[in-house]
Amino acid sequence: MAGSTFGTLFRATTWGESHGAGIGAVVDGCPAGIPLKASDIQKYLDRRKPGQSRFTTARAEADQVEILSGVFEDTTEGTPISLLIRNTDQHSKDYSNLKDVYRPGHADFTFDSKYGFRDYRGGGRSSGRETAGRVAAGAVAAAFLKELGVTVEAYAKSIGPFSVPDNLINYEESLNNPLSLPDQEIYKKAAEWVDTVRGDQDSAGGIIECRIKGLPAGIGETVFDKFDAVLSQAILSIGAVKGFEIGDGFLAAESRGSENNDSFSNEDKKILPVTNHAGGVLGGMTSGAPVIFRAAVKPTPSIAREQQTVDINGVPRSLTITGRHDPLIVPRAVVVVEAMACLTAADLMLRNMTARIDMIREFYNNLV
Ligand SMILES: Cc1cc2nc3c(=O)[nH]c(=O)nc-3n(C[C@H](O)[C@H](O)[C@H](O)COP(=O)(O)O)c2cc1C
């Protein structure tokens, strides 16, 4: 299966199926000398782990990461970092009624159309479980970014119709409630609504917002590999993400140029945009302002409510899904968005180092 690798210099490959022996990632191109322990990666995985609240699937995976290579004495070696997470709580029998039938909203029909074969247990490679490998790899990228003073923070901007206005966003609060909403009051209302949706044997969606802080100006390539273009690929590659916008995004289409342009200032002898309608990227390169983007996440496709579909022979079937599923993907996808943002920033920062002969000359002059 092609397309399991992301990045050019800082490369992450994820592998594994939902109900196989395990899943994981190989990170290649991570520089040597970065402090890294399994517990640094575990912190990220624990935020994605299932079974943590009534809003996530009851699958009780420990999601313990093992570092198989590339780290010696808690320091990266510059060699491929291989990360393994064993699957421990598969209930493959739950999926036997899905063997010959196509779930509406999931990848069953399209996977069969492409390969003529599908691992129907838990969605196989199309399962949300694949994202555990991304989170493990993203944690390595975060350790690299930390060395350079770059931080990445994501939270739920909205759940269903409940949205947190910009002036009420409190990132710390998003770490304290199981919907990852950055406001207590809106959390309470949204939680009640999600309970109602779940009671209706249905599911809900929402929007994840993410901020990348500390990037210098000029990161990202100018044509096909623009910072926002690569970032959108990273984010749209997450299952259930259906929309991506940066800065004012779709709202910019309603603005006038005079409203949308960010003026520059030179306070403290540092040129920076005063406002940030662009979301921190101009012409594909970072502006020095925080990169701010959003991902729209659809409602979980696997719902307990009876649905009409067809089987692999095209015969109409009614379907009731009994496996364990997230009533809402957003809370567990927050850290997946962070991980993909880390991988994007790490790769484009490394790529930026080849942009100028003066930098290359300085690097080699320092070696002699
Ligand atoms: C963290 C995470 C958890 C997910 N959990 C489930 C789930 O429990 N049940 C389900 O049907 N889909 C789940 N999904 C979504 C499916 O993987 C996704 O909808 C499916 O692969 C179809 O792809 P598409 O929605 O991008 O078109 C999850 C996705 C993520 C990122």
Side-chain angles (χ1 to χ4, degrees):
M1 183 187 286
S4 290
T5 300
F6 179 80
T8 302
L9 292 181
F10 195 106
R11 290 163 71 82
T13 302
T14 71
W15 54 266
E17 288 80 34
S18 176
H19 288 223
I23 50 176
V26 177
V27 178
D28 200 8
C30 180
I34 300 169
L36 186 71
K37 292 185 183 153
S39 57
D40 299 323
I41 300 171
Q42 197 57 51
K43 257 188 260 163
Y44 277 76
L45 282 168
D46 286 350
R47 290 170 57 205
R48 200 212 70 96
K49 210 163 71 173
Q52 301 200 89
S53 81
R54 66 186 197 271
F55 302 117
T56 61
T57 167
R59 185 169 169 165
E61 290 285 0
D63 274 4
Q64 284 296 321
V65 70
E66 293 169 50
I67 302 177
L68 302 184
S69 69
V71 178
F72 179 59
E73 295 181 337
D74 296 335
T75 308
T76 58
E77 292 186 272
T79 54
I81 300 172
S82 187
L83 304 167
L84 165 68
I85 302 151
R86 292 179 200 275
N87 292 330
T88 55
D89 191 36
Q90 307 98 308
H91 287 196
S92 300
K93 270 206 310 251
D94 287 350
Y95 293 87
S96 48
N97 70 328
L98 298 177
K99 185 171 183 287
D100 298 324
V101 76
Y102 295 136
R103 277 176 296 175
H106 218 292
D108 305 340
F109 168 66
T110 45
F111 209 105
D112 258 359
S113 304
K114 183 176 178 71
Y115 292 102
F117 174 81
R118 142 174 84 93
D119 181 347
Y120 55 84
R121 305 161 308 163
R125 192 79 182 129
S126 305
S127 166
R129 187 140 183 78
E130 178 271 333
T131 60
R134 298 173 186 237
V135 171
V140 178
F144 165 74
L145 294 173
K146 190 175 164 196
E147 295 293 309
L148 303 170
V150 177
T151 56
V152 180
E153 293 174 351
Y155 45 85
K157 169 84 172 156
S158 68
I159 297 287
F162 298 93
S163 188
V164 181
D166 288 348
N167 61 340
L168 292 184
I169 288 172
N170 173 355
Y171 176 68
E172 294 305 315
E173 173 55 35
S174 76
L175 302 173
N176 292 332
N177 71 68
L179 291 180
S180 300
L181 277 162
D183 180 78
Q184 255 274 300
E185 289 310 306
I186 292 172
Y187 159 67
K188 285 184 201 154
K189 289 180 193 157
E192 210 174 293
W193 179 76
V194 174
D195 282 337
T196 309
V197 169
R198 206 168 36 151
D200 294 342
Q201 298 186 309
D202 221 332
S203 59
I207 295 174
I208 296 170
E209 188 165 79
C210 184
R211 295 164 191 253
I212 312 175
K213 293 182 191 159
L215 285 170
I219 308 295
E221 304 306 317
T222 49
V223 185
F224 296 116
D225 294 344
K226 293 181 159 104
F227 195 98
D228 40 354
V230 178
L231 187 59
S232 67
Q233 189 199 350
I235 300 304
L236 285 166
S237 74
I238 302 169
V241 172
K242 291 292 131 187
F244 172 88
E245 61 173 14
I246 186 155
D248 283 5
F250 279 76
L251 209 63
E254 294 171 23
S255 306
R256 293 179 178 218
S258 55
E259 296 163 332
N260 186 247
N261 290 345
D262 300 307
S263 301
F264 287 102
S265 80
N266 189 15
E267 266 177 44
D268 302 327
K269 298 231 165 4
K270 188 172 184 205
I271 298 177
L272 269 178
V274 179
T275 52
N276 194 10
H277 298 287
V281 179
L282 289 168
M285 294 157 282
T286 50
S287 66
V291 172
I292 301 176
F293 69 91
R294 283 169 292 280
V297 182
K298 76 180 189 183
T300 316
S302 300
I303 51 175
R305 188 185 277 213
E306 188 178 343
Q307 300 178 85
Q308 299 310 309
T309 183
V310 297
D311 68 16
I312 54 172
N313 299 310
V315 178
R317 289 263 298 266
S318 81
L319 173 68
T320 308
I321 298 172
T322 52
R324 296 161 301 167
H325 296 279
D326 293 291
L328 178 77
I329 292 165
V330 170
R332 295 182 58 217
V334 163
V335 68
V336 184
V337 165
E338 258 181 44
M340 293 311 295
C342 286
L343 288 168
T344 303
D347 190 43
L348 289 172
M349 284 188 92
L350 282 184
R351 288 176 70 180
N352 187 56
M353 294 180 67
T354 60
R356 286 155 64 154
I357 188 62
D358 51 346
M359 288 183 186
I360 297 170
R361 202 186 295 120
E362 192 186 323
F363 173 81
Y364 279 103
N365 284 346
N366 280 338
L367 283 188
V368 287

